[in-house]
Amino acid sequence: MWLIALVVVVCIAAILWLEPGSNGRSGIARSVLVYQEGRLVKKLDITGYARESLPGNHMEIEVDHGRVRVVRSDCAKQICVHTGWISLPGEVIVCVPNKTLLEIPGNETSFLDAVVR
């Protein structure tokens, strides 16, 4: 009986310890890393507001107080644009036709283990 009560208390404590909506991730996003063709081309501060064209002028991104999105892209399917806002460490937006990846860095190791060219 005590063992069941202990397990229930530990489970409730674990649920309350995680931030709602964090999916187990923690931290405050302060920057976004922009990779093109596997190389880091920009590191942008996302604590304020800005719109910026990426090198090659194929894409435009918007940062707004801790979140980032692709506003415009010249790719056919617009998957990167439809991804919408990302704001948690470890989240990414990928545009395969433009060979571009936007990543919010975090303290944990990235879930990406390779870049395909």
Side-chain angles (χ1 to χ4, degrees):
M1 183 70 167
W2 291 103
L3 182 59
I4 294 172
L6 178 65
V7 169
V8 170
V9 169
V10 169
C11 290
I12 291 172
I15 291 170
L16 295 175
W17 181 64
L18 291 174
E19 292 179 57
S22 70
N23 295 328
R25 298 180 188 136
S26 61
I28 297 171
R30 299 200 181 278
S31 63
V32 62
L33 304 176
V34 180
Y35 296 90
Q36 288 184 320
E37 296 187 8
R39 281 175 267 146
L40 179 65
V41 294
K42 282 190 182 228
K43 180 177 181 179
L44 299 172
D45 177 24
I46 61 172
T47 58
Y49 178 83
R51 284 179 82 140
E52 188 159 336
S53 291
L54 297 182
N57 204 27
H58 299 289
M59 299 174 74
E60 183 178 357
I61 63 171
E62 178 180 25
V63 297
D64 184 20
H65 300 91
R67 58 189 191 153
V68 63
R69 71 177 176 158
V70 175
V71 177
R72 178 188 60 79
S73 177
D74 63 1
C75 61
K77 293 190 178 182
Q78 300 285 299
I79 293 171
C80 55
V81 175
H82 297 301
T83 299
W85 294 100
I86 61 172
S87 60
L88 297 174
E91 288 186 312
V92 297
I93 297 176
V94 178
C95 183
V96 175
N98 288 326
K99 300 177 185 172
T100 303
L101 179 131
L102 282 66
E103 178 184 22
I104 297 180
N107 293 336
E108 305 96 26
T109 57
S110 175
F111 59 92
L112 298 176
D113 60 353
V115 176
V116 178
R117 295 178 192 223

